[in-house]
Amino acid sequence: MLKDSLETVQNNINEACKRVGRDPSEVTLIAVSKTKPVEVLQEAYDAGVRVFGENKVQELTSKMDQLPDDIHWHMIGHLQRNKVKYIAGRVELIHSVDTFRLAEEINIQAKKRGIIIPILVEINIGNEETKFGIRAEDTLELVRQTAQLDGVSIKGLMTIAPYVVDSEENRPLFHKIRDLSIDIRNENIHNVSMDILSMGMTNDYEVAVEEGATMVRVGTGIFGERNYNI
């Protein structure tokens, strides 16, 4: 069943790309595995998944230690500064940088290890009080500040759009993120590329792909509903 769900999601991504003339290879599917046990992740791995996203550091590092080494792990949830040291150099990408203080801590941990850590700047595009991320209008300033840190590299933008029944409602928000990435790219800031747009989840990833997403974060669409009581 998981294999069928995975195939359905990938087919939907392919079709969304086809509708707007994109190459499906431009879009990375991140399997969001939060709250799911290692056995389920192993099943997904056996079905071909190599990119997983986790929201919590402790859960991420625990799973990382139990699963194959060729998995690409992404930190997609809110990241506290005191937890950065546990994932620095161990994850492919940190999606959720929304303050300069967090960027500074990532930089400190990167310098300790002699590495450069790739990050995305998280934008609260719906201006929702319950979500993390900076306002769209503050993005350029944070990008400029963070670009001066030589232990991090800004690879693009991330957003969690509002939950909606009709995914079309989020289209203008995804479009806004894409326009913002183009504006930032045109600033030609050293240490900044806007190659990655991480946007779109189970309920709206197809629209996100049509609007330029290069990474979509799908959990329920692959693994089914989560049990938060475990």
Side-chain angles (χ1 to χ4, degrees):
M1 182 161 171
L2 187 152
K3 193 170 184 179
D4 293 341
S5 298
L6 186 62
E7 193 174 317
T8 296
V9 171
Q10 192 60 64
N11 286 341
N12 288 343
I13 290 171
N14 294 347
E15 287 301 313
C17 286
K18 197 172 174 181
R19 287 194 291 271
V20 292
R22 295 184 67 192
D23 185 337
S25 67
E26 296 173 8
V27 182
T28 299
L29 171 59
I30 300 173
V32 178
S33 45
K34 63 181 182 182
T35 79
K36 295 297 178 182
V38 168
E39 296 75 23
V40 173
L41 273 71
Q42 183 66 53
E43 185 184 348
Y45 179 90
D46 293 341
V49 176
R50 292 295 180 273
V51 185
F52 289 89
E54 287 284 340
N55 282 55
K56 294 184 177 177
V57 169
Q58 189 172 350
E59 190 176 351
L60 170 60
T61 55
S62 171
K63 290 174 176 176
M64 191 180 281
D65 291 339
Q66 299 176 68
L67 288 159
D69 291 339
D70 62 337
I71 289 175
H72 302 280
W73 295 96
H74 289 242
M75 179 62 195
I76 61 176
H78 178 63
L79 180 58
Q80 296 170 300
R81 296 198 308 280
N82 63 351
K83 300 282 180 68
V84 173
K85 60 190 174 191
Y86 300 113
I87 63 168
R90 298 192 72 193
V91 296
E92 182 101 348
L93 184 64
I94 297 173
H95 289 233
S96 46
V97 177
D98 59 356
T99 67
F100 184 61
R101 290 181 73 192
L102 175 57
E104 282 184 308
E105 180 59 33
I106 295 170
N107 187 62
I108 288 168
Q109 297 301 329
K111 303 282 270 189
K112 282 182 181 178
R113 293 159 178 77
I115 60 174
I116 295 174
I117 296 177
I119 64 168
L120 303 180
V121 172
E122 180 179 0
I123 300 166
N124 184 349
I125 196 62
N127 292 324
E128 297 175 272
E129 289 183 12
T130 55
K131 285 183 181 165
F132 293 101
I134 62 167
R135 298 183 307 167
E137 53 267 38
D138 297 330
T139 306
L140 183 57
E141 182 183 352
L142 178 58
V143 166
R144 285 188 188 282
Q145 276 185 297
T146 304
Q148 297 175 45
L149 304 172
D150 54 6
V152 301
S153 178
I154 302 172
K155 299 296 185 184
L157 306 176
M158 182 270 241
T159 197
I160 301 173
Y163 179 79
V164 291
V165 175
D166 180 3
S167 59
E168 284 295 329
E169 291 180 36
N170 281 336
R171 188 180 293 277
L173 299 181
F174 293 141
H175 194 84
K176 187 175 179 181
I177 291 284
R178 186 182 182 189
D179 284 350
L180 183 57
S181 76
I182 292 169
D183 290 344
I184 293 172
R185 180 185 286 122
N186 289 340
E187 293 286 326
N188 292 315
I189 304 167
H190 172 69
N191 197 24
V192 176
S193 70
M194 285 286 126
D195 296 336
I196 297 174
L197 286 183
S198 172
M199 58 188 194
M201 305 199 310
T202 292
N203 63 316
D204 56 16
Y205 67 89
E206 292 173 72
V207 170
V209 168
E210 290 174 356
E211 291 299 326
T214 65
M215 290 184 176
V216 293
R217 310 177 306 272
V218 179
T220 303
I222 295 171
F223 297 106
E225 295 296 332
R226 295 188 181 86
N227 178 6
Y228 286 100
N229 298 318
I230 58 174

